[in-house]
Amino acid sequence: MNLTRPFCGIIVILFAMFGINSTSATKNYNVLNFGAKPNGKTDSTKAFLMAWQAACGSSDSTMIYVPKGRYLLGSMAFRGICKSPRITFRIDGTLVAPLDYRVLGKSTDWISFQGVIGVSIVGGALDAKGSSLWACKHSHTNCPAGATTLSFTNSKNISIRRLLSLNSQMFHIVINGCENVNIQGVKIMAAGNSPNTDGIHVQLSKNINIIKCSIKTGDDCISIGPGTKNLWIEQITCGPGHGISIGSLGKDLNEEGVQNVTVKKTIFLGTENGLRIKSWARPSTGFIQRVRFMDSLMVNVQNPIVIDQNYSPHNLNCLNQISGIKVDDIVYQGIRGTSSTPVAIKFDCSPKNPCTGVRLQNVNLTYLKKASQSSCINVRGKAFELVRPESCL
Ligand SMILES: *[C@@H]1O[C@H](CO)[C@@H](O)[C@H](O)[C@H]1NC(C)=O
Ligand SMILES: *[C@@H]1O[C@H](CO)[C@@H](O)[C@H](O)[C@H]1NC(C)=O
Ligand SMILES: *[C@@H]1O[C@H](CO)[C@@H](O)[C@H](O)[C@H]1NC(C)=O
């Protein structure tokens, strides 16, 4: 006799009444049942990988649950293709990297997802313990490059929500070769002087939303690489760090372009740059087309609006070369606040491919309560309504 059956029936009816799909049962996999230990000391890498194997191999929607506590984890790759159509990592605990930076330092990634579809990460904290590697990089030259904290490669329908990423060795989050990605309510924190700790890096990906995130790092807040298409960035607070950057592009001769990027309602606090486009002074097939920078606030930003097509760090092989990247249809609308240097708007485009279709509208950037300046080289476009500093277009 099964007493629970009528009861379940009622619940199914209730679910149906409230529009909850009663057919999509979710199977749960608690990492503790695979041997993970929430004590911060016992290596739980194997347990996490086994939980993934189980969830991935199920034909149901699945949830991998990480309860409260600290889990010591080495480099882990979660690979598809999975049978499960939807896998949710529900994290209430903190995933902790080994204290010795050399353990992860030679890996490209700490936690990577490859070739997966329908994976969500909800909640939790990732503590990569990067500060000892930064210290090495500040004082020596023979340190490992370091690992990205979280990466998704060749994946689709990905969601990352309410995650905290702390002190990455290198980039915090990388989206590479992906489609349909939502990143929302994510917090990223690393020291303002930490090397190469970019917040979120996107490349070779399309239909990406990054919304309501707070990003404090030592490098770019969000960096946008070649082959990015339909990227929507909204309500981000950046700083400290280097701001939001399209590029560097044009490092290679054959490169995919960047098209249709929107950055909206973003706040930059004391960052090195605000809204930046940057390309190497080198030949390239790449391009940047249709970018909308809107309704953003600069607070003491060194270069609030900047296009730099003469990027050539340490003059690496590009002395006297010219950028082949074509920059077209770039709108700056509703950008206000303060610059910490006299030149608030700087367009330095390629002599071979001048920037075209650049539009400034309702821009008000001041420097020490005075008027700031703008500087234009090889750029064509127009200014509309109020533009301070006075437009050089
Ligand atoms: C991805 O999500 C979209 C919309 O939510 C859905 O239509 C599509 O089937 C999903 N793709 C895959 C491969 O699961
Ligand atoms: C640009 O991307 C947005 C999503 O970020 C999309 O809604 C819009 O349709 C795209 N526009 C074009 C012209 O491709
Ligand atoms: C431009 O911004 C400054 C300081 O932020 C402000 O005092 C000034 O009124 C603004 N100008 C206009 C026309 O909005």
Side-chain angles (χ1 to χ4, degrees):
M1 197 170 67
N2 190 341
L3 282 175
T4 58
R5 211 166 244 164
F7 188 65
C8 283
I10 289 166
I11 286 181
V12 166
I13 290 163
L14 282 174
F15 274 22
M17 280 169 63
F18 289 100
I20 298 164
N21 187 354
S22 57
T23 56
S24 66
T26 299
K27 272 216 180 111
N28 283 307
Y29 299 88
N30 186 327
V31 292
L32 298 183
N33 296 337
F34 293 86
K37 294 280 183 285
N39 60 15
K41 291 187 198 127
T42 312
D43 188 331
S44 296
T45 311
K46 244 191 178 154
F48 273 62
L49 290 172
M50 278 161 60
W52 172 261
Q53 282 311 329
C56 178
S58 164
S59 49
D60 296 303
S61 288
T62 53
M63 182 168 85
I64 298 171
Y65 181 56
V66 182
K68 279 207 174 73
R70 294 172 71 77
Y71 300 83
L72 179 64
L73 296 161
S75 178
M76 302 185 288
F78 300 111
R79 294 197 174 83
I81 298 172
C82 291
K83 258 170 94 183
S84 177
R86 202 169 300 150
I87 302 178
T88 303
F89 254 98
R90 179 70 225 271
I91 310 177
D92 284 338
T94 300
L95 316 194
V96 190
L99 201 52
D100 182 347
Y101 64 80
R102 288 169 300 188
V103 179
L104 287 186
K106 284 175 296 243
S107 315
T108 325
D109 305 287
W110 177 24
I111 301 165
S112 67
F113 290 83
Q114 299 168 19
V116 298
I117 296 171
V119 169
S120 302
I121 297 177
V122 184
L126 310 177
D127 183 354
K129 303 262 173 229
S131 59
S132 58
L133 177 60
W134 311 336
C136 175
K137 287 182 175 180
H138 283 309
S139 57
H140 300 88
T141 50
N142 58 343
C143 312
T148 289
T149 287
L150 174 66
S151 75
F152 279 89
T153 307
N154 301 333
S155 297
K156 280 184 194 168
N157 290 11
I158 302 305
S159 156
I160 306 172
R161 301 193 298 276
R162 301 197 308 274
L163 177 74
L164 168 66
S165 178
L166 282 176
N167 300 332
S168 190
Q169 289 191 341
M170 272 279 283
F171 293 8
H172 284 79
I173 297 177
V174 169
I175 304 298
N176 179 20
C178 294
E179 211 175 296
N180 300 340
V181 179
N182 274 301
I183 300 177
Q184 191 154 351
V186 166
K187 257 179 123 168
I188 293 174
M189 285 202 284
N193 67 348
S194 56
N196 300 115
T197 53
D198 294 42
I200 302 173
H201 177 76
V202 178
Q203 62 175 24
L204 301 171
S205 295
K206 64 179 180 186
N207 307 338
I208 313 293
N209 299 321
I210 304 175
I211 296 169
K212 290 187 184 155
C213 297
S214 153
I215 302 175
K216 305 176 181 187
T217 72
D219 208 301
D220 290 341
C221 176
I222 299 175
S223 55
I224 300 157
T228 300
K229 194 175 165 183
N230 304 343
L231 168 62
W232 190 277
I233 295 171
E234 187 169 344
Q235 292 189 60
I236 310 295
T237 305
C238 294
H242 296 181
I244 294 183
S245 187
I246 300 181
S248 316
L249 298 184
K251 192 157 191 253
D252 300 314
L253 176 58
N254 287 306
E255 209 180 77
E256 288 188 44
V258 170
Q259 49 190 316
N260 190 19
V261 174
T262 302
V263 180
K264 214 173 151 172
K265 294 184 187 159
T266 291
I267 301 174
F268 297 90
L269 301 173
T271 49
E272 201 175 280
N273 306 286
L275 303 162
R276 172 164 66 162
I277 289 174
K278 144 171 121 154
S279 77
W280 290 72
R282 282 191 186 182
S284 174
T285 58
F287 62 89
I288 300 170
Q289 223 254 330
R290 194 175 196 279
V291 178
R292 304 289 177 261
F293 292 124
M294 297 163 76
D295 305 325
S296 291
L297 177 67
M298 307 282 168
V299 181
N300 266 324
V301 172
Q302 286 176 43
N303 307 293
I305 290 178
V306 56
I307 300 179
D308 175 8
Q309 292 208 264
N310 285 301
Y311 181 64
S312 181
H314 330 297
N315 285 324
L316 278 175
N317 312 323
C318 43
L319 216 48
N320 302 321
Q321 292 203 66
I322 288 175
S323 175
I325 300 279
K326 172 72 190 163
V327 177
D328 176 53
D329 189 8
I330 314 291
V331 174
Y332 302 87
Q333 188 178 340
I335 314 296
R336 62 202 188 281
T338 55
S339 173
S340 66
T341 67
V343 180
I345 300 178
K346 184 180 170 196
F347 297 129
D348 182 2
C349 296
S350 164
K352 177 168 162 269
N353 277 324
C355 299
T356 51
V358 174
R359 180 181 171 124
L360 291 164
Q361 182 169 8
N362 274 323
V363 172
N364 183 9
L365 295 164
T366 56
Y367 166 61
L368 300 175
K369 304 230 155 84
K370 297 178 301 207
S372 53
Q373 296 159 34
S374 62
S375 144
C376 287
I377 301 170
N378 302 316
V379 54
R380 291 182 204 133
K382 273 203 178 111
F384 299 83
E385 300 173 68
L386 170 86
V387 175
R388 304 242 164 90
E390 197 173 328
S391 166
C392 53
L393 290 171

